[in-house]
Amino acid sequence: GAGGYIDGTGDQNSTEEFNGSSFSAGGNIGTARREFDGAGTLTAGLIMGGRIGSSQQQDQTEEYNGTSWSEQNDLNTGRADAGGAGTQTATLFVGGFSSPPNTQHNQVEQYNGTSWSETGNDYPVSAYGIEGAGTQTAALMAGGTPGSPPYAPGLTTEYDGSTFTTAATMGTAAYNAGMFGTQTSAIYAGGVNNSSSPIATSQKYDGTTWTATPSLASARNALAAFGADATAGLMGGGVPVTDTTQEFT
């Protein structure tokens, strides 16, 4: 995990690496920020977008080699709280938010390991707080909010590298949660629904439908999530701001 926000301290640039049982410090990111998205692995990671403070949306992209971060070519449109999926050399970045003025985005950009390009196929709605999983050519996007009622419509989409297809509506509609896995095996947990309070609900997508799974130990939103599929994953941090990490088995 990298970056984020701590009450009373502000935006962070620290990185922590997890070895399956404990965390250790890694190289700091170049630009301290929050609400960015990430992709890839511990030794080939990527972060993009985000914001500094309440209104400074970022377009920076940074790659991690397992030791240090290096800045790469910027996004075409700087935004925060978007949905990301893929690897360090094949990444998808969907939707997001910027201000001022308050704007929800539907742009979709793809990264090829060197630069970002807009796909020309926009997301079905302009929204932020979207969660992503899978790869650039087999991605799952779930949740999100258009910023107006209903705040959590429960939209699920599958992406094949060029087109978004609407899939089953989420069992518990939410946004700004944590999700890990693949297009056909993913866990979505926490977030905010049509109230303003975090929830603890967890649910699994199997490529066709959503089913309820055991809830988080405590209600959280803005979680960091990691995991190759729905059988094993990690949820860390969140709001209320915490250093808690939870494993899903």
Side-chain angles (χ1 to χ4, degrees):
Y5 174 82
I6 298 176
D7 289 333
T9 304
D11 299 307
Q12 304 297 298
N13 66 353
S14 58
T15 298
E16 294 192 43
E17 300 179 356
F18 187 65
N19 63 8
S21 59
S22 61
F23 284 92
S24 60
N28 290 343
I29 61 175
T31 301
R33 49 191 150 143
R34 69 183 93 164
E35 295 179 14
F36 53 82
D37 218 303
T41 65
L42 178 64
T43 57
L46 186 77
I47 58 173
M48 55 278 190
R51 68 183 172 114
I52 299 171
S54 61
S55 61
Q56 299 179 53
Q57 275 66 48
Q58 303 299 297
D59 56 11
Q60 290 103 322
T61 300
E62 298 187 43
E63 292 183 355
Y64 192 64
N65 61 8
T67 303
S68 60
W69 293 93
S70 59
E71 187 160 344
Q72 308 299 316
N73 288 314
D74 293 341
L75 289 157
N76 290 284
T77 302
R79 52 216 142 110
D81 214 0
T87 66
Q88 189 184 72
T89 58
T91 311
L92 186 67
F93 193 66
V94 176
F97 176 86
S98 62
S99 67
N102 291 348
T103 304
Q104 292 78 38
H105 294 273
N106 65 356
Q107 292 99 318
V108 178
E109 296 191 42
Q110 294 186 161
Y111 184 67
N112 62 8
T114 303
S115 59
W116 292 94
S117 60
E118 290 202 19
T119 66
N121 292 320
D122 292 337
Y123 200 60
V125 297
S126 296
Y128 64 97
I130 303 165
E131 304 306 327
T135 66
Q136 190 185 75
T137 56
L140 178 71
M141 295 287 155
T145 178
S148 58
Y151 289 105
L155 178 65
T156 305
T157 64
E158 295 181 357
Y159 185 68
D160 63 5
S162 60
T163 305
F164 288 95
T165 302
T166 301
T169 301
M170 299 171 68
T172 300
Y175 63 95
N176 200 23
M179 185 166 74
F180 60 83
T182 68
Q183 188 183 74
T184 58
S185 179
I187 293 290
Y188 183 105
V192 177
N193 55 17
N194 283 312
S195 70
S196 59
S197 299
I199 60 176
T201 304
S202 173
Q203 52 197 311
K204 176 184 177 181
Y205 185 70
D206 64 5
T208 304
T209 59
W210 290 95
T211 56
T213 48
S215 295
L216 293 167
S218 58
R220 299 278 171 210
N221 67 286
L223 290 145
F226 316 91
D229 59 40
T231 62
L234 193 71
M235 293 280 183
V239 178
V241 176
T242 178
D243 59 3
T244 301
T245 303
Q246 302 178 47
E247 289 185 346
F248 182 75
T249 58

